Amino acid sequence: MKASFLMLMVLAVLSLAACGEREQVGEFKRGKYQGKPDTPPWSNAPLAYGNGKWTQGDRASWETQIKERQSWQNERTRASQ
């Protein structure tokens, strides 16, 4: 009798604990961005271990470097070299 009563009480406490969860989403303010502002990727500094073929702030050189890096990910292009 005592064991079943104890189990019933434990089950009641655990089921009530699940009801106490609070909302975990931040407060939304209409028309206001709450996060960190994004910067263009070409405004970041080049990687230290990269090949250094693009300069910071130059979009054209960044795009050229990205296209060159993507060409090395194409197996058909790499197999012919």
Side-chain angles (χ1 to χ4, degrees), residues 1 3 9 24 26 29 34 50 53 56 60 65 67-68 72 78:
M1 177 87 172
M9 290 302 290
Q24 296 181 5
K29 295 181 182 176
Q34 300 286 323
K53 292 187 179 182
Q56 185 174 0
Q65 194 269 337
K67 287 177 186 174
E68 181 182 330
W72 282 101
R78 288 177 50 194

Side-chain angles (χ1 to χ4, degrees), residues 53-56 58-66:
K53 292 187 179 182
W54 65 279
T55 56
Q56 185 174 0
D58 185 13
R59 181 178 181 166
S61 67
W62 179 81
E63 287 177 349
T64 304
Q65 194 269 337
I66 290 293

Side-chain angles (χ1 to χ4, degrees), residues 71-72 74-81:
S71 71
W72 282 101
N74 186 350
E75 292 295 323
R76 291 182 183 175
T77 312
R78 288 177 50 194
S80 65
Q81 292 179 353

Side-chain angles (χ1 to χ4, degrees), residues 2 10 17 33 36 50 55 61 73:
K2 274 187 167 184
V10 168
Y33 178 63
K36 183 185 99 172
T55 56
S61 67
Q73 295 176 355

